[in-house]
Amino acid sequence: HLLLFLLFVGPFNCFASYSRATELFYSLNEGLPAGVLIGSLARDLRLPTAGSQQAASLQPPLSFTLASHGLGAQYVQLDNRSGELHTSAVEIDREALCVESSGATVFGGSVAVSSSSPSPESCLLLLDVLVLPQEYFRLVKVKIAIRDVNDNAPRFPVPHIRLSVPENAPVNTRLAIEHPALDPDMGTNGVQTYRLRDNYGVFTLDVEENENGERTPYLIVMGALDRETQDEYVTVIVAEDGGTPPLVGSATLTIGISDINDNCPQFNDSQLNVTLYGNSSLGTHVATVHAVDMDLGSNAQITYSYSQKVPQPSRDLFHLNESTGAITLSTKVDGDTPRLHRLIILGNGPGCIPAVITVLVTIIKVMMRPPEVVPRFIANEVEGVVYLKELEPINTPIAFFTIKDPDEKYKVSCYLDGDGPFRLSPYKPYNNEYLLETTKPLDFETQQLYEISVVAWNSEGFHVKKVVKVQVLDDNDNSPVFSEQLIELSIEENNVPNAFLTKLHATDADSGERGQVSYFLGPDAPSYFALDKTTGVLTVSTQLDREEKEKYRYTVKAVDSGFPPRESIATVTITVLDKNDNSPRFINKDFSFFVPENFPGFGEIGVISVTDADAGQNGWVALSVLNGSDIFVIDTGKGVLRAKVSLDREQQSSYVLWIEAVDGGDPALSSTAKITILLLDINDNPPLVLFPQSNMSYLLVLPSTLPGSPITEVYAVDKDTGMNAVIAYSIIGRRGPRPESFRIDPKTGNITLEESLMQNDYGLYRLLVKVSDHGYPEPLHSTVMVNLFVNDTVSNESYIESLLRKEPDISVEEKQPQISIEPTHKKMESASCMPTLVALSIISLGSIALVTGMGIYICLRKGKKHHRADENLEVQIPLNGRINLHMLEKKPVEISNI
């Protein structure tokens, strides 16, 4: 409707609309809650404000409407009547609204970046508001400047910054720190300063600001650096903004000191003395020199060389390795070889003066040749290493050794040197032949490599050693071993799917593939358990329910990759821990209890049965009565419902209670059940005579009354129910000229005239009526005196009242009470036995004879009962002694002739 209205009036009022366009400017902080007043358009436009008399007289009233409902409109709420502009539930975040650092303006939801310098007003929210009706119509452009608040802490783009500084950097060296901290806030709320948490006394920070206002931290060297003393400094760089209070951000700054070649090689010793036997073989190790350079990398590379002072014969006799500094014998020592050699060796480093060490080699002349040890290997041997499988049998031969003296002048003996299950023994019947063999099985897991020596020596004490290395080869002789044979776990029920249970771990002492272990579930594991073959991570893919199953027990296997594979088994037991996920549950939602009235207080009315499938505290249930707690209580432990007082059915025949069951969980769960208590009537109320109201009232009976005519009635009620409230009337005492002239109906209490009244029947008749109920086990009764005055008129009321005041001499008729029942009932109740007999015969065919006999017996008893009822239609209850009529109410009641 608004659009149609504008289309209609637009062509005629376009000039007026432009001329009446207005601009309002507001500003507010970002992050304000909903409902904060931004401004009142009506007040600021000087329009009638809501509630004023001028605004009340406007028809139609003023209305304010947003012309566009773009993204910008979601941040404000405009009251259409008052024109008040408030913040909405959508919080304004300046940094999200104006993402460019140079500022931005939001036009009803679109963002345009401003080229101006940043300012608090550079982030604007523009709204177009229409003011109606026509006489006040205008287009109001509302500009809302979003002011920045310090709601963002500085943040470094990376958590760890590394900077390298050469160790020869001079003091006041400045190094820019890359990845400066960022702060989305503007102005002073942005990053202002940087500092180091620990500067080690050699560093400080400075901040430089460029023309765009960006601040870059610089690391300044304040002292001498030495990489060989400390090659790295680890500290924390802290960025702090200018807000109040200021916010900070930090990152780890690692300052590495790069190496320069400021150290030269050095020998630990200046001279090394070495002795060498003249019969040493070629390649014999003489000595090794070693220099140290504290620098790194190429700056620490050292080469070794002979000094020019070393004579050429010595150079030819001893070979020097340029890289390792090892000196070995390169030519045979003969009789002409000098016995003392002075080797001057240089340790050369890049750009350094060489370090110098002197090696003095003394050659000892030897007159005899050493014994010879000649091996012949039986086992597999490669380059002096013998390979044996573990678990090889005892006495496995390894090699034969022939021991001899080259000069054939000396006796040679030999022995085995080194630890291990090996034995070297003479091989009979040959001389100087020895057999090397094992003495027990080898075990790869105990020891993989043995190094033993066959040592030969002659009678002159000259020794020769032959080193033999024995490498034990692994075999798949070990099964995986679980860290625990019984893995006991627990998990709360209602777990998330694929929940982690544990990580199984088994080790295999074998090597290589033979020691690689894979994990598998046993055949007895439920399908919803999963075991990762490689990692041994055990998970459960579904939610577990403790009430469904509390414990799980199954096996897992660890299998190695040997051939044939070996495996071991462990048992996993999982106990599902209870959570309070089950409310207490009543066995029935509705309980009904039948209780006789006058039941003693705190007697047991009934038991409320309730269960809770949870365990422990979660399954403990407390019962309470929600209503009627002033009368009823319930035993929390046993669920026994009791009444605090004796209950009277006549006051209230039934009670409806609501019982709440609350478990012991946290939070607790509960449920309710409805309890209906029905009070069974007992005969505790005698009949209450309502008419006649007094023993002193009387009724005039005209002598002309015809026989069979109703004279009056006795009306009584009984507060009990059922048979306890069935009332029978009988006359138990009579007095008068001819008292048998009147009879009472045992059911209705109507008193009728039996015979015609004669002249001598005039006078006062007093009938003592007994009103009795049919209660069990003892009927209750009341009595009332019915006074009938037979006469034509009542001429002397005083005389009659004097007669009534005298105690009547009435003898009570002592007869057994008999209840009057209509004769027709006999046929009805006799016939009612037939369905009972048929039903009983169908239910129990095997007992049909017994049931039939019982039914016939019941019917006969009822027939006799009705026969006796026909004999006497009155119920008469014997009274003990005479009735004291003075104890009865003696309020006279005037009753007119009926």
Side-chain angles (χ1 to χ4, degrees), residues 385-389 444 448-450 469-473:
V385 179
V386 178
Y387 295 92
L388 290 178
K389 289 185 178 181
F444 174 86
Q448 293 85 36
L449 180 65
Y450 294 90
K469 294 182 179 180
V470 180
Q471 176 67 55
V472 183
L473 300 178

Side-chain angles (χ1 to χ4, degrees), residues 37-306:
L37 178 64
I38 300 174
S40 174
L41 273 65
R43 182 185 66 240
D44 297 336
L45 294 173
R46 303 184 184 278
L47 297 175
T49 57
S52 64
Q53 293 182 355
Q54 184 179 0
S57 64
L58 290 178
Q59 292 296 330
L62 277 175
S63 66
F64 301 84
T65 308
L66 287 173
S68 173
H69 293 275
L71 294 177
Q74 66 178 325
Y75 298 105
V76 298
Q77 286 184 340
L78 177 61
D79 190 306
N80 294 338
R81 294 301 180 191
S82 67
E84 289 186 347
L85 196 63
H86 295 82
T87 57
S88 69
V90 181
E91 184 178 295
I92 298 176
D93 185 359
R94 186 184 186 280
E95 289 73 36
L97 200 62
C98 303
V99 295
E100 296 291 338
S101 61
S102 60
T105 303
V106 177
F107 296 96
S110 61
V111 178
V113 178
S114 171
S115 60
S116 60
S117 60
S119 64
E121 289 77 22
S122 60
C123 185
L124 297 177
L125 190 67
L126 298 186
L127 304 171
D128 291 341
V129 179
L130 297 176
V131 182
L132 294 175
Q134 180 61 26
E135 57 267 26
Y136 291 96
F137 172 75
R138 66 185 66 190
L139 174 64
V140 182
K141 289 189 174 294
V142 180
K143 293 183 179 180
I144 304 175
I146 309 302
R147 291 192 296 266
D148 183 48
V149 297
N150 191 27
D151 58 346
N152 292 280
R155 183 177 180 272
F156 286 91
V158 292
H160 195 111
I161 302 172
R162 187 170 186 86
L163 191 64
S164 181
V165 181
E167 62 177 324
N168 63 344
V171 176
N172 293 327
T173 298
R174 299 171 64 86
L175 298 169
I177 298 177
E178 297 181 357
H179 311 296
L182 304 176
D183 193 327
D185 295 325
M186 298 291 295
T188 57
N189 292 332
V191 178
Q192 299 296 316
T193 61
Y194 291 87
R195 69 175 185 272
L196 293 177
R197 199 166 283 175
D198 185 1
N199 58 18
Y200 294 95
V202 292
F203 300 106
T204 188
L205 287 180
D206 189 19
V207 180
E208 291 186 4
E209 184 175 355
N210 60 14
E211 59 184 9
N212 294 327
E214 297 176 350
R215 295 173 181 264
T216 303
Y218 281 81
L219 181 70
I220 302 176
V221 179
M222 300 296 294
L225 302 176
D226 184 7
R227 189 204 63 79
E228 288 72 35
T229 303
Q230 185 169 353
D231 61 352
E232 187 178 75
Y233 298 87
V234 180
T235 184
V236 175
I237 182 172
V238 179
E240 183 175 304
D241 63 21
T244 304
L247 302 178
V248 297
S250 63
T252 301
L253 176 63
T254 301
I255 306 170
I257 309 302
S258 59
D259 183 52
I260 64 170
N261 191 23
D262 58 346
N263 291 280
C264 290
Q266 291 181 351
F267 288 105
N268 294 329
D269 299 313
S270 61
Q271 183 173 311
L272 186 63
N273 298 319
V274 179
T275 300
L276 180 67
Y277 288 102
N279 62 348
S280 299
S281 59
L282 297 179
T284 300
H285 180 264
V286 178
T288 299
V289 295
H290 181 68
V292 177
D293 192 322
M294 298 299 293
D295 293 327
L296 290 176
S298 61
N299 295 329
Q301 289 183 354
I302 302 174
T303 60
Y304 301 93
S305 62
Y306 284 125

Side-chain angles (χ1 to χ4, degrees), residues 319-470:
H319 175 263
L320 174 62
N321 189 302
E322 294 183 356
S323 300
T324 64
I327 304 172
T328 56
L329 185 64
S330 59
T331 61
K332 191 75 173 176
V333 177
D334 55 23
D336 297 330
T337 303
R339 297 293 177 253
L340 182 63
H341 297 266
R342 186 181 185 88
L343 305 178
I344 301 174
I345 300 174
L346 305 178
N348 306 294
C352 290
I353 299 174
V356 180
I357 187 172
T358 301
V359 179
L360 293 177
V361 181
T362 302
I363 298 176
I364 301 174
K365 185 178 179 181
V366 178
M367 301 303 295
M368 65 183 70
R369 288 187 293 173
E372 292 181 356
V373 179
V374 181
R376 300 190 303 279
F377 290 98
I378 302 172
N380 183 28
E381 179 266 340
V382 178
E383 296 181 354
V385 179
V386 178
Y387 295 92
L388 290 178
K389 289 185 178 181
E390 65 175 330
L391 303 181
E392 287 282 1
I394 300 175
N395 301 327
T396 296
I398 299 173
F400 278 113
F401 289 89
T402 301
I403 310 299
K404 62 182 179 179
D405 180 18
D407 300 325
E408 297 182 354
K409 295 190 299 184
Y410 304 101
K411 181 181 179 182
V412 180
S413 301
C414 72
Y415 65 92
L416 188 65
D417 185 25
D419 296 329
F422 305 103
R423 176 175 59 218
L424 182 67
S425 58
Y427 191 73
K428 302 296 184 181
Y430 305 103
N431 293 325
N432 298 328
E433 293 288 344
Y434 293 86
L435 176 64
L436 179 63
E437 59 186 354
T438 61
T439 58
K440 64 180 182 180
L442 303 177
D443 187 4
F444 174 86
E445 288 72 37
T446 302
Q447 188 169 344
Q448 293 85 36
L449 180 65
Y450 294 90
E451 186 171 318
I452 56 178
S453 300
V454 177
V455 181
W457 81 99
N458 58 20
S459 57
E460 296 299 321
F462 198 87
H463 291 74
V464 174
K465 181 183 294 186
K466 181 65 177 179
V467 177
V468 179
K469 294 182 179 180
V470 180

Side-chain angles (χ1 to χ4, degrees), residues 826-871:
K826 178 178 180 180
K827 294 182 179 180
M828 293 177 61
E829 296 194 8
S830 299
S832 66
C833 296
M834 294 308 296
T836 304
L837 297 178
V838 174
L840 292 174
S841 63
I842 294 174
I843 294 173
S844 179
L845 294 177
S847 304
I848 188 170
L850 178 62
V851 172
T852 305
M854 292 177 63
I856 294 173
Y857 176 76
I858 294 172
C859 293
L860 291 176
R861 289 293 302 269
K862 289 184 178 181
K864 292 179 180 180
K865 179 179 177 181
H866 293 301
H867 181 71
R868 287 195 303 267
D870 291 339
E871 293 178 357

Side-chain angles (χ1 to χ4, degrees), residues 436-622:
L436 179 63
E437 59 186 354
T438 61
T439 58
K440 64 180 182 180
L442 303 177
D443 187 4
F444 174 86
E445 288 72 37
T446 302
Q447 188 169 344
Q448 293 85 36
L449 180 65
Y450 294 90
E451 186 171 318
I452 56 178
S453 300
V454 177
V455 181
W457 81 99
N458 58 20
S459 57
E460 296 299 321
F462 198 87
H463 291 74
V464 174
K465 181 183 294 186
K466 181 65 177 179
V467 177
V468 179
K469 294 182 179 180
V470 180
Q471 176 67 55
V472 183
L473 300 178
D474 188 28
D475 198 1
N476 193 29
D477 61 334
N478 290 279
S479 299
V481 178
F482 281 100
S483 55
E484 295 177 311
Q485 286 298 113
L486 179 61
I487 304 165
E488 296 179 325
L489 307 173
S490 63
I491 185 174
E492 281 193 339
E493 62 176 330
N494 304 330
N495 54 283
V496 297
N498 300 315
F500 173 84
L501 293 175
T502 189
K503 184 176 182 179
L504 303 181
H505 180 66
T507 57
D508 194 315
D510 295 324
S511 62
E513 292 185 353
R514 292 173 290 273
Q516 293 180 359
V517 180
S518 300
Y519 302 90
F520 302 93
L521 290 172
D524 54 345
S527 60
Y528 38 84
F529 289 96
L531 179 59
D532 189 278
K533 175 181 177 181
T534 305
T535 63
V537 173
L538 182 62
T539 57
V540 57
S541 60
T542 186
Q543 281 191 348
L544 299 180
D545 186 359
R546 188 205 65 83
E547 289 72 38
E548 181 179 334
K549 190 172 183 180
E550 185 175 6
K551 289 186 178 295
Y552 295 86
R553 185 183 181 93
Y554 53 85
T555 57
V556 291
K557 294 191 299 182
V559 183
D560 63 22
S561 301
F563 183 81
R566 301 174 71 96
E567 66 179 38
S568 62
I569 297 177
T571 301
V572 175
T573 62
I574 301 175
T575 302
V576 183
L577 303 179
D578 185 52
K579 290 181 70 176
N580 193 27
D581 57 343
N582 289 278
S583 301
R585 182 177 180 183
F586 289 93
I587 293 180
N588 298 313
K589 295 303 290 184
D590 295 321
F591 290 84
S592 297
F593 297 108
F594 295 89
V595 182
E597 63 174 331
N598 301 331
F599 195 69
F602 291 97
E604 181 178 323
I605 295 176
V607 178
I608 312 299
S609 298
V610 62
T611 60
D612 194 313
D614 293 322
Q617 187 72 16
N618 296 332
W620 182 85
V621 179

Side-chain angles (χ1 to χ4, degrees), residues 729-731 734 743-744 746 813 815-822 865-877:
Y729 302 89
S730 61
I731 299 175
R734 304 169 185 263
R743 68 176 296 274
I744 189 168
E813 300 175 7
K815 293 183 180 181
Q816 291 295 109
Q818 293 183 354
I819 302 172
S820 175
I821 301 175
E822 290 293 338
K865 179 179 177 181
H866 293 301
H867 181 71
R868 287 195 303 267
D870 291 339
E871 293 178 357
N872 193 343
L873 298 180
E874 291 186 354
V875 176
Q876 297 183 358
I877 299 178

Side-chain angles (χ1 to χ4, degrees), residues 15-23 137-141:
F15 296 105
S17 298
Y18 280 109
S19 63
R20 297 167 69 182
T22 308
E23 184 176 277
F137 172 75
R138 66 185 66 190
L139 174 64
V140 182
K141 289 189 174 294

Side-chain angles (χ1 to χ4, degrees), residues 734-756:
R734 304 169 185 263
R735 185 180 180 185
R738 192 153 57 95
E740 63 276 4
S741 300
F742 301 93
R743 68 176 296 274
I744 189 168
D745 189 293
K747 291 183 178 180
T748 64
N750 291 332
I751 298 176
T752 56
L753 180 64
E754 286 288 293
E755 301 175 357
S756 299

